[in-house]
Amino acid sequence: MNKRLPIGLAFVLLVLPCSLLVAFTHYPALRALANSFWNNGSSRRPSKFVGWDNYRAMMEDDRLAQVLANSAIYALGTVPLAIGLAIGMALLVNSKLPATGLMRLSFFMPTMLPMVAVANIWLFFYAPGIGLASQILSVFGLPPINFLGSTDTSLASMMVVAVWKEAGLFMIFYLAALQAVPANLKDAARLEGAGHVRVFFDVVLPLLRPTTIFVAVNALINAFRLVDHIIVMTRGGPNNSSALLLYYIYEVTFAHRDFAYGATLTVLMVVILGAMAAVQFWILDRKAHYQ
Amino acid sequence: MTQAGVSLEVRGIRKSWGPVEVLKDVSFGIEPGGFLTLLGPSGCGKSTLLRLISGLDEAGAGQILIGGRDVSGVSAADRNLGMVFQNYALFPHMTVAENIAYGLRIRRVSKAAKQKALARVAELMALGDLLDRKPAQLSGGQQQRVALARVLVSERPLVLMDEPLSNLDAKLRVEIRSEIRALNKKLGITVVYVTHDQSEALSMSDSVVLMNAGRVVQHGTPMELYRTPATVFAASFIGTPPTNLLDAADVRPPGDGAAGLPADLAGCIFGVRPEALHLVVPGAAGRADFTASGRVAAVEYEGSVFLIHVETPSGARLVLSHSGAEVPQEGDTITLGWDRPATHLFSKETGTAIPVSA
Ligand SMILES: Nc1ncnc2c1ncn2[C@@H]1O[C@H](COP(=O)(O)OP(=O)(O)OP(=O)(O)O)[C@@H](O)[C@H]1O
Ligand SMILES: [Mg+2]
């Protein structure tokens, strides 16, 4: 029942998780915020307060502009694609077709692989000349494409990898949601004269909406959070064409060792993610309430 | 709103789920505008049969004729019938109005006609104030009425209902029960109604199809089912409390001998309804054709009557529905009597009824 904890014990129980949260989340975030107002120090020249200088530099950073554009395209492309593919696969796997068990396994497999392993598989797939993609093209008599080496295709190639890796996980959520759709709702719609397509769009899809919102939030976060494949496959290239925000932060901070500017970019990223989370929760509050 | 009903005929229907045969040669018919109830214990195949009629599932064998036309191969949407599902099956993301008009929307009925039909049904089912609500914001009875409205708005001549009242409390159930019956009478639509509640079946129907384990046990009017049960199962399923079943050894036949009774009484089961039994007081006036004695095991007070449970010497249990002033006490030994017309005889071997001549 509602027995009260002794105040001392409650304090101890609270302090432990709170200190972890502070040490690894709040303190670094605040520290990044503070660092973004200082310049880089060295052994001879200690860092000093520079006010908004880093932010002014950020506004004039052409590379950042391209990276942000890339990130936007990447997010707007991968999220709907992964959701659409996940719904399609879930419908397939939930159907009365034979071998759905095998399909389930093969659709889910990419999710279980670490991103670095996925990146390796796709490196082979994209390899110019010898890769599977090139061989498929040559079967149709098309010229080979250097998927990762061309500024036209590198970002799209990265998006394909991300969708391939993520859709399987989202399929599981949709599969669970599909199986929770009451069969008699579909029957009722059928009796009223709805065909399969109508039943899906009128009855099933609206009932999947809470799942879709949940999946969209996760996919969007992942679009900003997962950059392992870019580090492994393209290093943001060629000519920044596949660089995403988090990859850019990584490069600035650890390759160029520009900690001050890295901190400034980190603040930008936190602001973007926070704004997106706020919008999504606002939608979630308004739209996801039946039952 | 006049919509003439259609006739329905079911001929030799069979259905298996995997190796299990759920329906075994089911046949019955119903006139246009009739109210037929499928009655039977849980799992006897009522819902399965309804889904076959509606076209949502396909029968293994047999024919279904709607309005005289064989509908095998006709899709559910084209059978021109409506169905009220066991738990309403309202679309949770649509308002009441959208739910009701969904079928009209699919059939691209013009907006004006849709509004008119909606208004008419909303008035009929007293849903006027609720049209903008979502199903989750309605009570069970209101949801029930929306489900009915959704079926009625399409003016289908045949409506199937699968235990539509099972989730309602007793008072609401009686209310909606009479509402459904009134609609059937007023609109002339043919209704097939599924229930496992025998009192519901008896009170509403023109005819009752009693089913057990995938077979039709008896098809007749409620009165026929009550008065002349065709089998031991029919006798024990219909009536509360159920018909008493007695071994011939416990029964003393009439003083004038066993005229008109089968020669082999030992191979018979006697069936007597609790309300046909009366107390036989030694020495007092009044007579009974048949009697049985036993010890009173329990007395239940039911308001209008006492239910007296009696244990016979052979260990069988009888229930007497007693409305007299003198109530026997637990432990008393009493004699129960009943008359020849109230006697049902069944063959011990087959369970089917044996006629008793008066
Ligand atoms: N889709 C199915 N797959 C396999 N077996 C089924 C299926 N649907 C029904 N059954 C079986 O068929 C039998 C009859 O089921 P049905 O639902 O028709 O019973 P019912 O008479 O409607 O019972 P209730 O009064 O409990 O609703 C049951 O034994 C059930 O287990
Ligand atoms: Mg049922």
Side-chain angles (χ1 to χ4, degrees):
Chain A
M1 289 291 290
N2 252 343
K3 228 178 95 194
R4 264 169 181 263
L5 282 180
I7 196 91
L9 181 58
F11 187 72
V12 170
L13 288 177
L14 272 176
V15 158
L16 207 68
C18 282
S19 56
L20 285 175
L21 209 60
V22 167
F24 293 107
T25 308
H26 298 148
Y27 174 71
L30 289 175
R31 195 54 212 256
L33 184 63
N35 283 352
S36 70
F37 293 104
W38 295 67
N39 69 3
N40 288 309
S42 65
S43 48
R44 276 180 293 129
R45 213 163 34 87
S47 71
K48 69 172 203 283
F49 185 80
V50 294
W52 294 99
D53 275 8
N54 288 325
Y55 288 92
R56 246 169 252 132
M58 190 175 82
M59 301 303 269
E60 281 151 24
D61 184 352
D62 291 338
R63 259 192 90 191
L64 178 64
Q66 190 187 353
V67 164
L68 285 178
N70 284 348
S71 293
I73 295 171
Y74 184 86
L76 292 178
T78 53
V79 173
L81 226 62
I83 288 178
L85 195 62
I87 293 178
M89 293 193 302
L91 285 174
L92 203 63
V93 162
N94 197 36
S95 68
K96 293 191 184 81
L97 295 174
T100 51
L102 201 66
M103 276 195 266
R104 247 175 249 212
L105 185 67
S106 56
F107 292 160
F108 189 60
M109 192 73 93
T111 302
M112 299 192 290
L113 297 174
M115 194 54 157
V116 175
V118 170
N120 266 312
I121 294 172
W122 281 85
L123 269 181
F124 283 118
F125 183 82
Y126 284 142
I130 54 165
L132 190 59
S134 293
Q135 293 190 9
I136 292 172
L137 285 176
S138 73
V139 167
F140 292 101
L142 296 167
I145 297 173
N146 189 352
F147 288 98
L148 302 180
S150 151
T151 51
D152 296 333
T153 52
S154 61
L155 185 61
S157 305
M158 291 299 99
M159 288 162 64
V160 169
V161 174
V163 169
W164 184 81
K165 163 124 175 77
E166 298 211 298
L169 178 64
F170 300 152
M171 174 197 76
I172 299 293
F173 293 120
Y174 276 113
L175 185 58
L178 276 181
Q179 289 176 346
V181 172
N184 61 7
L185 290 187
K186 291 185 269 181
D187 289 339
R190 266 173 69 199
L191 273 176
E192 296 289 358
H196 288 292
V197 178
R198 283 292 307 246
V199 171
F200 176 75
F201 282 104
D202 287 351
V203 178
V204 178
L205 200 56
L207 293 179
L208 294 181
R209 191 152 68 184
T211 309
T212 300
I213 292 172
F214 170 76
V215 166
V217 170
N218 276 282
L220 205 54
I221 291 170
N222 281 351
F224 283 88
R225 207 177 54 109
L226 274 184
V227 292
D228 316 22
H229 56 312
I230 291 174
I231 297 174
V232 173
M233 295 174 77
T234 65
R235 301 186 163 275
N239 193 17
N240 284 326
S241 60
S242 64
L244 301 179
L245 183 55
L246 185 57
Y247 178 78
Y248 187 47
I249 294 175
Y250 161 82
E251 207 182 57
V252 166
T253 313
F254 297 103
H256 307 166
R257 307 195 69 75
D258 186 348
F259 297 108
Y261 192 45
T264 314
L265 291 175
T266 303
V267 170
L268 174 67
M269 174 130 169
V270 169
V271 168
I272 291 175
L273 285 178
M276 278 187 327
V279 169
Q280 281 168 338
F281 279 112
W282 178 68
I283 295 175
L284 205 71
D285 262 0
R286 284 185 54 237
K287 298 275 187 178
H289 57 64
Y290 342 112
Q291 297 324 319
Chain B
M1 164 143 92
T2 49
Q3 45 194 93
V6 288
S7 65
L8 167 72
E9 202 180 334
V10 171
R11 286 189 194 152
I13 287 290
R14 290 172 185 279
K15 176 71 185 176
S16 302
W17 292 115
V20 187
E21 193 165 42
V22 183
L23 293 176
K24 301 156 188 159
D25 192 19
V26 172
S27 305
F28 60 83
I30 168 176
E31 293 300 307
F35 195 113
L36 178 136
T37 300
L38 294 175
L39 173 67
S42 188
C44 73
K46 305 178 299 287
S47 297
T48 305
L49 184 54
L50 219 55
R51 290 178 63 85
L52 297 182
I53 296 172
S54 70
L56 290 170
D57 287 324
E58 233 175 283
Q63 271 183 317
I64 293 166
L65 292 91
I66 297 177
R69 189 169 67 108
D70 187 346
V71 290
S72 54
V74 179
S75 75
D78 296 330
R79 290 191 182 191
N80 200 19
L81 50 80
M83 185 151 162
V84 181
F85 290 82
Q86 182 151 0
N87 28 27
Y88 319 138
L90 300 179
F91 305 121
H93 54 290
M94 298 184 194
T95 63
V96 168
E98 286 166 343
N99 261 288
I100 295 174
Y102 181 71
L104 303 180
R105 198 179 102 203
I106 289 199
R107 268 165 270 130
R108 296 177 196 282
V109 172
S110 76
K111 198 160 182 173
K114 204 158 75 180
Q115 283 304 329
K116 224 175 99 193
L118 185 62
R120 197 179 49 196
V121 180
E123 200 204 309
L124 188 69
M125 304 290 346
L127 289 170
D129 316 333
L130 307 175
L131 288 178
D132 294 326
R133 296 219 199 149
K134 294 271 174 70
Q137 300 163 313
L138 301 178
S139 73
Q142 290 167 336
Q143 291 184 25
Q144 176 63 49
R145 295 212 301 273
V146 175
L148 278 170
R150 185 171 66 181
V151 165
L152 293 177
V153 79
S154 303
E155 308 201 350
R156 314 279 205 182
L158 172 62
V159 172
L160 315 176
M161 302 188 184
D162 193 353
E163 306 202 26
L165 310 186
S166 54
N167 295 352
L168 305 183
D169 65 61
K171 181 169 168 285
L172 207 53
R173 190 147 55 197
V174 172
E175 241 172 75
I176 296 187
R177 205 193 266 182
S178 58
E179 231 166 287
I180 292 176
R181 184 64 168 137
L183 281 170
N184 158 250
K185 287 250 171 69
K186 187 161 134 201
L187 307 177
I189 43 179
T190 310
V191 178
V192 178
Y193 187 96
V194 164
T195 181
H196 59 243
D197 177 345
Q198 51 91 25
S199 74
E200 200 166 285
L202 295 187
S203 67
M204 299 176 83
S205 327
D206 295 326
S207 68
V208 178
V209 172
L210 177 63
M211 292 176 62
N212 188 27
R215 280 181 215 283
V216 174
V217 174
Q218 191 172 1
H219 180 189
T221 63
M223 220 179 274
E224 281 166 357
L225 260 80
Y226 183 82
R227 289 200 179 151
T228 52
T231 68
V232 171
F233 172 80
S236 60
F237 195 79
I238 287 173
T240 36
T243 302
N244 295 304
L245 297 171
L246 276 169
D247 204 273
D250 283 330
V251 177
R252 275 188 303 280
D256 58 3
L261 295 178
D264 174 29
L265 262 188
C268 288
I269 299 171
F270 278 76
V272 197
R273 297 213 176 267
E275 50 275 26
L277 287 173
H278 54 85
L279 270 179
V280 178
V281 186
R287 56 172 292 281
D289 292 339
F290 295 91
T291 53
S293 318
R295 202 179 52 83
V296 176
V299 177
E300 284 173 37
Y301 181 56
E302 284 270 303
S304 57
V305 294
F306 289 90
L307 294 183
I308 298 169
H309 297 252
V310 179
E311 202 175 298
T312 66
S314 73
R317 280 226 165 192
L318 288 179
V319 179
L320 154 71
S321 168
H322 180 70
S323 53
E326 272 166 59
V327 181
Q329 296 301 306
E330 226 175 283
D332 291 356
T333 298
I334 58 172
T335 300
L336 304 172
W338 67 92
D339 297 333
R340 204 181 269 261
T343 309
H344 306 290
L345 283 180
F346 303 99
S347 153
K348 235 181 212 168
E349 229 168 280
T350 62
T352 52
I354 302 168
V356 184
S357 50

